[in-house]
Amino acid sequence: MHVFPQPVLRTSRLLLRPFSEDDIDDVRLACDDEATQRWLPLPRPYTREAAAWWCREGAAQALRSGDGVQFAAEELDGGRLVGAFGLKSTDWRDGRTEVGYWVGPWARGRGLAPEALRAVCVWALRETPVHRISLLAATGNTASQRVAAKAGFVREGVLRGAGHTHTGRVDCVVYGLVPEDLPTAPEATP
């Protein structure tokens, strides 16, 4: 069985690392946020117990199963959790995976999401057998679509009924990132 390694990545403003006990309260706040709840089918309300399970077991479970790897992004200046950025639904035989993310309301609008997303994807494409990363964003989630574009993803089309939220099925814009989309200079360092 293939599994991702769990490196620690750095960008100019962020540290991307495994989730820890220290993240529980910020995970709860971010995942219970109205905008996060609008686009992600997370438990509602998102309790401290759900956040504790994610930080203690859930994120690591994806790694152990081979399905993916999750990163907690924190600011280097201040150390507060920015959000979660992770690979999931990995098909090791075909070298494909999907990326998902959420960002706490206190970290939005500062360019941190594209920076973290780009770091995880550059690492995956350069350091693992993955050769394609997909990103799906609900057609109404324009903020997530802007993050995808700023991180270098290429819009490829719309998948009808490909996602679900608390209100039901939604169409999703599909984006892709392949090694040819990356610049030649390294961007994130383990």
Side-chain angles (χ1 to χ4, degrees):
M1 177 176 74
H2 289 19
V3 296
F4 283 102
Q6 177 77 71
V8 173
L9 307 174
R10 289 181 188 273
T11 70
S12 61
R13 299 183 293 168
L14 299 170
L15 180 70
L16 293 108
R17 53 160 178 78
F19 280 87
S20 75
E21 292 275 330
D22 294 337
D23 299 319
I24 292 172
D25 291 330
D26 280 343
V27 167
R28 190 203 63 76
L29 289 171
C31 290
D32 203 41
D33 173 68
E34 183 179 330
T36 306
Q37 286 277 327
R38 179 175 182 195
W39 300 115
L40 298 177
L42 298 167
R44 184 185 272 177
Y46 197 90
T47 63
R48 190 169 198 288
E49 291 76 25
W53 176 84
W54 175 255
C55 292
R56 293 177 183 147
E57 299 172 41
Q61 189 175 54
L63 184 66
R64 286 189 307 271
S65 73
D67 184 61
V69 60
Q70 297 292 323
F71 293 89
E74 76 174 46
E75 290 188 79
L76 291 173
D77 182 20
R80 186 162 189 195
L81 183 73
V82 167
F85 298 83
L87 303 176
K88 60 184 182 173
S89 303
T90 303
D91 181 330
W92 289 102
R93 190 187 71 191
D94 288 339
R96 291 180 287 128
T97 193
E98 182 182 338
V99 68
Y101 53 91
W102 54 256
V103 177
W106 55 87
R108 294 179 187 144
R110 298 176 20 222
L112 297 171
E115 184 176 328
L117 179 62
R118 184 77 173 179
V120 169
C121 293
V122 166
W123 164 78
L125 290 171
R126 289 194 174 144
E127 304 297 328
T128 76
V130 167
H131 72 265
R132 176 183 166 75
I133 302 173
S134 298
L135 185 155
L136 274 68
T139 54
N141 190 347
T142 56
S144 188
Q145 292 175 51
R146 282 192 304 271
V147 168
K150 288 178 183 178
F153 277 80
V154 176
R155 182 184 167 121
E156 297 176 335
V158 174
L159 299 175
R160 295 178 299 149
H164 63 282
T165 67
H166 289 290
T167 58
R169 284 267 165 221
V170 294
D171 295 346
C172 289
V173 179
V174 64
Y175 292 85
L177 190 69
V178 296
E180 294 77 22
D181 298 330
L182 301 179
T184 56
E187 297 178 40
T189 56

